[in-house]
Amino acid sequence: MTAHDIAHVELYTKDALSCVDYFVDGMDFTRVADCVQADRSSILLRQGATDLVVTSGRGTWKFLDQHGDGIADIALACDDVDATCAEAVAAGSEPLAPAYGSPVVLGFGDVTHTLVPHAPDSAKPGWPAGRRWVPAPQAPAGPAGRIRRLDHVAVCVEGGSLAEYADYYGAAFGMDRYSAEYVAVGGQAMDSVVVRSATGHVTFTLVAPDPGKDPGQLDAFLERNGGPGVQHLAFLVDEIIPAVGEFRDRGVEFLSTPGTYYDLLGERFADMREEIAELRAGQILADRDEWGYLLQLFSRSPYERNTLFYELIQRQGSRGFGSANIRALYEAVERDRLAAG
């Protein structure tokens, strides 16, 4: 049984208006359709191959109370939804009540996977099945947005549980272990395993704190989020420098990068000194592996409990996820601290 693609991602929020404004006004998503139900209302947003459903209302309150604004469901397009559901249950998942006519299984924490039939790539993009969608009034067509698709979903789980989750996604959805890495920074450390579908269209970066080290940012996320959950969504773009500039002008806030990071970057990438000036101006991070390099930048969380943020990523051949930047940023901050002291 295999998962071919992420059909859509559903985000529960307390404030649908500001959430939709963030994506439409800030990131150039298009509002495609609306659906009003007895206990919730949903808005379908689209850009490139990414479908994002923003949902609010009484039916989301339990999730929001426990976890804050965040991703509640990642719908997976599968070969055979009934067989995949059975495999997921056999692999240790809980079968849940069907949603909108589709099987649903538990993924991690309280995040679920709605299982939908895989459609051929040539099929015209539709709307999530089973809901009474009403087309949204269409704005005049403009240039295509910067975001092409979801590059990966970063999932934070408890320390010591990575192998269990990686095994689950392999057995239930045919996702292979793509890479694994352990990153230590000071007294803290994180473990990661990347699982990916054979199509390459479903990639989960599973991260967990090392319980034998000092508490760090992943421990803080697990506390704020009330357990495992989606830490961030990474959106693939063709050109990150203009994308970051446009999104900043539209009001999206990104994390700042210390100047010493770029001093160290000049040592790491001696052949990119001219490009580094542009990266410094945009506060953009760079990483490299044997296949090429990538550029990335993370947003600040726009949500009250700081439970979800976003990443823009541009790949120039690289197949990695920028883990070297964790260490590089730590070293840059430490250099600033020593200089100030």
Side-chain angles (χ1 to χ4, degrees):
M1 302 304 109
T2 59
H4 282 266
D5 210 341
I6 294 177
H8 65 268
V9 175
E10 186 157 11
L11 190 161
Y12 283 3
T13 180
K14 294 179 180 178
D15 187 344
L17 181 60
S18 65
C19 186
V20 169
D21 285 347
Y22 181 88
F23 287 108
V24 173
D25 295 340
M27 290 189 169
D28 206 21
F29 275 77
T30 297
R31 184 169 181 166
V32 176
D34 299 345
C35 175
V36 178
Q37 299 168 265
D39 67 343
R40 70 194 67 196
S41 297
S42 299
I43 298 165
L44 174 61
L45 307 177
R46 176 173 290 161
Q47 186 172 171
T50 302
D51 275 8
L52 179 62
V53 177
V54 176
T55 299
S56 61
R58 177 168 46 85
T60 68
W61 289 353
K62 180 179 178 181
F63 181 95
L64 292 169
D65 286 345
Q66 293 179 348
H67 308 292
D69 293 38
I71 303 302
D73 184 78
I74 302 170
L76 298 176
C78 306
D79 282 325
D80 183 326
V81 294
D82 292 329
T84 301
C85 182
E87 290 290 343
V89 172
S93 180
E94 293 180 34
L96 303 175
Y100 312 111
S102 297
V104 180
V105 295
L106 197 61
F108 43 86
D110 286 330
V111 179
T112 59
H113 295 304
T114 299
L115 308 178
V116 301
H118 169 63
D121 292 340
S122 59
K124 184 179 179 181
W127 298 339
R131 309 190 209 196
R132 294 184 177 180
W133 293 104
V134 176
Q138 294 298 301
R146 294 285 183 181
I147 293 171
R148 287 177 50 199
R149 62 176 176 85
L150 263 178
D151 183 85
H152 61 274
V153 177
V155 177
C156 185
V157 298
E158 307 99 326
S161 66
L162 281 182
E164 176 185 345
Y165 282 107
D167 289 346
Y168 166 69
Y169 280 101
F173 304 107
M175 297 172 68
D176 295 325
R177 296 190 188 209
Y178 178 74
S179 65
E181 192 164 9
Y182 182 85
V183 179
V185 286
Q188 305 169 12
M190 62 168 279
D191 229 343
S192 69
V193 174
V194 176
V195 293
R196 173 175 285 178
S197 66
T199 62
H201 295 163
V202 185
T203 303
F204 292 161
T205 303
L206 307 172
V207 298
D210 182 340
K213 299 290 187 178
D214 296 338
Q217 59 173 289
L218 298 185
D219 300 274
F221 172 86
L222 291 167
E223 183 175 353
R224 292 193 306 271
N225 194 66
V230 174
Q231 184 205 46
H232 70 267
L233 301 178
F235 298 120
L236 182 69
V237 298
D238 288 325
E239 297 180 281
I240 194 171
I241 292 175
V244 167
E246 289 177 16
F247 288 9
R248 274 203 179 103
D249 290 344
R250 290 168 170 264
V252 176
E253 295 185 6
F254 293 96
L255 297 180
S256 58
T257 308
T260 43
Y261 169 85
Y262 296 98
D263 299 334
L264 294 168
L265 193 62
E267 299 172 9
R268 292 167 59 201
F269 301 128
D271 58 334
M272 290 178 58
R273 295 191 182 276
E274 293 183 8
E275 292 89 341
I276 288 171
E278 286 189 287
L279 300 180
R280 185 191 293 265
Q283 300 276 285
I284 295 163
L285 309 175
D287 200 4
R288 173 178 281 165
D289 57 26
E290 64 243 61
W291 299 284
Y293 68 91
L294 65 81
L295 307 176
Q296 63 187 153
L297 189 58
F298 301 96
S299 79
R300 295 188 184 279
S301 175
Y303 309 109
E304 182 181 1
R305 279 170 61 172
N306 190 22
T307 44
L308 175 67
F309 59 92
Y310 305 102
E311 174 187 353
L312 298 184
I313 183 168
Q314 175 186 339
R315 293 188 180 276
Q316 298 298 126
S318 172
R319 303 177 190 176
F321 299 89
S323 57
N325 278 321
I326 298 170
R327 185 179 293 106
L329 281 170
Y330 178 86
E331 292 170 351
V333 171
E334 185 67 6
R335 178 181 283 191
D336 275 352
R337 185 186 70 81
L338 292 174

